[in-house]
Amino acid sequence: MSTASRSDSMRGDGRATGRRIEQGEIVWSPSADVLERSRAGQFLSWLREHRGLEFSSHDELWRWSVTDLAGFWSAIWEFGGVIGHAPYDSVLADRVMPGAQWFPGALLNYAEHAMGTEADTDRSAVLGISQTRPDIELTFGQLRDQVARARNVLRDLGVGPGDRVAGYLPNAPETLVAFLATASLGAIWASCAPEFGPRSVIDRFAQLEPAMLLVAGGYAYGDKDIDRRPQIAEIRAELPSVRHVADIQYGPWRVDDALDWHAMLSAAPGGTPEFLPVPFDHPLFVLFSSGTTGKPKAIVHGHGGILLEHLKNHMLSWDMGPEDRMLWFTTTAWMMWNALVSGLLTRSAIVLIDGNPMHPDVGWQWRLAQQTRATIMGASPGFLMASRKAGLRPGDLNLPLRVIGSAGAPLPPEGYAWIRDQFGPRVQLNVGSGGTDVCSGLVQNNPLLPVHAGEISGRCLGVDAHAFDESGTPVTGELGELVITSPMPSMPVAFWGDTDGTRLRSTYYDRWPGVWRHGDWIQFNANGTCHVAGRSDATLNRGGVRLGTAEFYRVVEEINGIADSLVVHLEDPDGGNGDLLLFVALEPGLHLDTDLRATITRVLRTSLSPRHIPDEIHQIPLIPRNLTGKKLELPAKRILLGALPESVASRDALAVPTALDPFIALAEDRRAVAP
């Protein structure tokens, strides 16, 4: 659709007043020259020239990528220009899950691939946008020099292969440099965002017994100054393995008895860094699960798996290359930070943002995209819908965007239509879903596929994803468990401390032996598109029919006055319908009155079905979310079913520590009136 033929008019609140967009309606299509201009098209040409392979459709290409795993992943290795310091004996020595052995014999280093080429020396590599201090820009040449200096500092402090380096740090260039220097030595990186409370940090870092801790004494969050020195002191006291603490001296806060990171780098030799060649599955970094309901799982990812997966994803799905600049708001605690950093693998520049993404207003990120001349922008579904509701018109800013990526939650069809109406056919919306577990996407778009409203365009190449019914049979056109039936290089090397693999197997392979169960509730359609309906353990079993939570949120959060919502289903042990409870957070100054209750009921009945009408509707101050923004449906449900709050969720793991208090109070009230 061209800009001139936009069909929906916009009210002052940004919502479409024209016809309602239909689920599955095409809102973007590949251009006629997509095979010539996109990396995915160039990959197809490469396969034809170097492997003699021809594919008549994207589905054919995907099927080859999950059938001939050795052929596909070796092609990514070659097409992506992987630097191997020793040849691999085979691509996949053992196809089993868990325990697949990828590229045995190979030696490489992830960090070596993030330095650009000699031709990139004077090109921008990193833009550090901060609400704490002036912005910073590094060229690839300066990045190499900084990494070389940091590597020498770490080495001189005794950090070597296998040692853990932990960062309690903001999303700043210093964090990136420390990570790449750690990786260059064969040491292992882990990070937590500085907004994490001490218990959350200790629960994560103490598992790893880090040798070194890098910290920032504080930061600015919008117009608020946050001093974290007391929290740092508490964390240090609980990490006896730490031999050195270094302060990156971010803002005016100075940490007592800490090494001066910048002074050490200034005194260290720079130049071009060295890189220790390590085996393919040598640990690169540790990511952590949310830790909402227990000690966070420490998920170990390897050099080779992350390198290949991110080369594939960033080149073929996000269409990234040397002329691109990627902006994606994230903290150092979310896997998107690791994915953002990997933009450097494609010789793209990356924008690191630290601060309040909604300060001074919801339009700040769009203006930042204009300021930084970003060509690829990440935007959460919540941010896109908030921009729409606020009546923003980023399409008027003359942004150089080509791709807008969105992940973390389902995006309603109205969000797809809003992006189309703002940017027309020149910007592709790439909605995806994946996870910390594989540090990438499992389903998303790429330049070769059309975009359907409310749908994810398809499976990622190399990802053998399906929906299984209760019997373990693949299903199409109905909801089922999201599973992966063939190994991927970026599946976890291990869980830290899980020496016999028991915890890893119980997490992913407990339902069907040899099949990865991801934990999402998904529907694949006959045309290859799909949509995620929520977490499978949070689906609503209403009278024997399982309903996804995402469809509730899409409808409820479009109602005027409702800012956010959460729905849980309390099953009836005797087999009845049980109780469906809807919780809503309203716009400031509003109250849940009789008229709004009636509106919610009517809209759910007409937009979904009578089965979706809640038995109870409650107004609460805010919806509980974890520190990465996920709605906490399962903890809320468990509290309402009588679980002890302290066994359900650590307050330190919540974005707002008191967010579950209304559920605790309601559970007490329900017990008081129970027969």
Side-chain angles (χ1 to χ4, degrees):
M1 176 180 292
S2 68
T3 302
S5 62
R6 295 173 186 171
S7 59
D8 292 340
S9 61
M10 303 295 285
R11 296 205 310 262
D13 66 357
R15 302 185 188 194
T17 58
R19 66 174 179 80
R20 181 179 177 86
I21 190 167
E22 297 296 328
Q23 180 94 6
E25 182 178 332
I26 292 179
V27 295
W28 182 91
S29 296
S31 62
D33 62 348
V34 64
L35 294 179
E36 290 75 35
R37 64 169 182 78
S38 69
R39 275 89 190 166
Q42 292 161 14
F43 181 59
L44 287 172
S45 297
W46 187 93
L47 289 173
R48 182 169 55 251
E49 179 181 347
H50 293 271
R51 299 289 180 88
L53 295 172
E54 292 270 7
F55 299 101
S56 61
S57 67
H58 185 273
D59 184 65
E60 216 176 84
L61 174 63
W62 171 79
R63 290 186 184 280
W64 168 75
S65 76
V66 297
T67 304
D68 184 3
L69 294 180
F72 175 72
W73 288 107
S74 63
I76 296 297
W77 179 295
E78 295 176 35
F79 182 73
V82 171
I83 304 166
H85 293 272
Y88 52 83
D89 302 323
S90 61
V91 174
L92 184 56
D94 197 341
R95 190 168 171 152
V96 299
M97 288 195 299
Q101 297 179 37
W102 290 97
F103 295 92
L107 294 176
L108 45 71
N109 192 291
Y110 167 95
E112 187 172 8
H113 299 77
M115 298 290 107
T117 67
E118 282 304 310
D120 301 320
T121 297
D122 296 324
R123 288 181 52 245
S124 177
V126 182
L127 287 84
I129 307 296
S130 172
Q131 294 173 353
T132 301
R133 67 180 183 193
D135 298 339
I136 292 174
E137 183 169 4
L138 296 176
T139 65
F140 275 100
Q142 291 168 327
L143 176 63
R144 288 181 214 132
D145 182 74
Q146 288 285 299
V147 171
R149 292 173 185 273
R151 184 185 200 274
N152 287 324
V153 167
L154 293 174
R155 184 198 59 201
D156 291 347
L157 291 173
V159 174
D163 287 335
R164 278 75 66 202
V165 176
Y168 186 44
L169 295 171
N171 186 14
E174 290 92 336
T175 310
L176 167 67
V177 167
F179 160 58
L180 293 174
T182 298
S184 76
L185 288 163
I188 305 165
W189 177 259
S191 58
C192 283
E195 64 264 27
F196 275 35
R199 178 44 50 194
S200 289
V201 178
I202 294 164
D203 284 348
R204 287 161 172 78
F205 288 170
Q207 297 183 59
L208 308 183
E209 299 179 299
M212 183 160 183
L213 176 66
L214 286 92
V215 298
Y219 60 94
Y221 191 75
D223 57 3
K224 298 178 181 178
D225 286 344
I226 313 293
D227 185 348
R228 302 304 280 175
R229 287 174 294 186
Q231 289 77 13
I232 290 169
E234 188 175 339
I235 292 165
R236 292 175 70 170
E238 296 293 327
L239 297 177
S241 63
V242 170
R243 302 194 296 267
H244 305 285
V245 177
D247 178 8
I248 70 166
Q249 302 199 346
Y250 192 63
W253 305 274
R254 296 294 174 264
V255 178
D256 292 338
D257 301 320
L259 301 170
D260 183 334
W261 180 248
H262 284 285
M264 290 190 295
L265 261 62
S266 295
T272 301
E274 297 179 0
F275 303 94
L276 178 72
V278 295
F280 189 87
D281 61 356
H282 184 84
L284 171 63
F285 52 66
V286 176
L287 300 180
F288 298 96
S289 64
S290 66
T292 306
T293 57
K295 183 174 286 189
K297 293 185 286 289
I299 303 168
V300 182
H301 287 288
H303 276 250
I306 292 300
L307 174 61
L308 278 191
E309 173 59 37
H310 286 180
L311 280 171
K312 179 212 74 174
N313 180 80
H314 292 34
M315 292 189 303
L316 304 186
S317 287
W318 293 349
D319 196 31
M320 294 181 69
E323 68 278 11
D324 285 306
R325 181 169 289 181
M326 184 183 190
L327 180 155
W328 197 310
F329 178 82
T330 179
T331 74
T332 56
W334 187 25
M335 58 140 287
M336 279 311 309
W337 184 82
N338 306 80
L340 172 64
V341 166
S342 285
L344 296 169
L345 303 177
T346 67
R347 300 166 60 202
S348 298
I350 59 174
V351 182
L352 308 179
I353 308 169
D354 178 52
N356 181 348
M358 306 296 273
H359 177 83
D361 54 61
V362 70
W364 181 63
Q365 288 185 68
W366 296 112
R367 297 193 298 275
L368 195 57
Q370 181 184 43
Q371 171 191 329
T372 60
R373 307 306 293 163
T375 59
I376 298 170
M377 178 180 179
S380 71
F383 170 68
L384 292 178
M385 297 305 286
S387 297
R388 174 179 177 268
K389 182 178 284 190
L392 300 187
R393 302 200 63 84
D396 296 340
L397 295 178
N398 191 30
L399 301 175
L401 291 174
R402 297 190 301 109
V403 177
I404 294 177
S406 191
L411 179 67
E414 293 77 13
Y416 288 72
W418 184 76
I419 291 294
R420 176 202 62 194
D421 293 342
Q422 289 300 309
F423 298 105
R426 65 184 177 85
V427 174
Q428 176 193 4
L429 176 62
N430 188 340
V431 177
S433 183
T436 301
D437 319 78
V438 295
C439 197
S440 191
L442 300 175
V443 289
Q444 63 177 320
N445 203 340
N446 68 50
L448 306 180
L449 292 173
V451 178
H452 299 254
E455 301 283 347
I456 296 171
S457 295
R459 300 165 170 91
C460 295
L461 296 176
V463 181
D464 202 358
H466 303 274
F468 271 14
D469 66 13
E470 293 292 330
S471 67
T473 302
V475 292
T476 300
E478 61 183 86
L479 289 165
E481 288 274 1
L482 173 59
V483 299
I484 307 171
T485 57
S486 297
M488 295 170 55
S490 68
M491 285 175 170
V493 172
F495 286 172
W496 193 270
D498 183 29
T499 53
D500 63 357
T502 299
R503 196 178 186 198
L504 185 141
R505 287 192 296 273
S506 66
T507 299
Y508 305 117
Y509 302 99
D510 62 334
R511 186 79 177 273
W512 298 288
V515 173
W516 171 291
R517 184 175 70 88
H518 194 65
D520 282 342
W521 194 234
I522 195 169
Q523 176 175 316
F524 287 99
N525 302 313
N527 65 354
T529 64
C530 61
H531 68 268
V532 176
R535 295 293 294 173
S536 57
D537 55 13
T539 53
L540 316 169
N541 193 344
R542 188 77 158 156
V545 178
R546 292 184 73 176
L547 310 171
T549 56
E551 54 191 341
F552 268 84
Y553 302 143
R554 174 201 169 189
V555 171
V556 170
E557 291 166 22
E558 279 291 291
I559 297 172
N560 282 327
I562 296 181
D564 206 354
S565 64
L566 183 140
V567 64
V568 297
H569 182 243
L570 307 181
E571 290 85 358
D572 180 358
D574 296 325
N577 277 342
D579 291 330
L580 190 64
L581 277 60
L582 176 65
F583 300 86
V584 293
L586 304 183
E587 302 287 358
L590 298 183
H591 299 282
L592 182 60
D593 57 19
T594 302
D595 289 343
L596 184 53
R597 289 177 185 274
T599 298
I600 293 170
T601 298
R602 174 179 52 79
V603 171
L604 283 170
R605 178 188 290 112
T606 56
S607 298
L608 296 178
S609 76
R611 195 184 298 273
H612 291 77
I613 297 172
D615 298 289
E616 300 176 20
I617 306 175
H618 298 272
Q619 179 179 354
I620 58 177
L622 53 87
I623 299 303
R625 295 176 182 269
N626 66 17
L627 289 165
T628 57
K630 302 284 188 182
K631 293 184 181 184
L632 299 180
E633 295 137 326
L634 189 58
K637 176 178 177 177
R638 290 180 60 197
I639 287 172
L640 293 170
L641 289 173
L644 294 173
E646 57 269 23
S647 71
V648 166
S650 165
R651 289 186 183 270
D652 249 6
L654 307 182
V656 178
T658 58
L660 286 171
D661 288 356
F663 298 88
I664 297 171
L666 179 59
E668 293 172 351
D669 292 345
R670 290 172 65 88
R671 282 195 296 272
V673 300

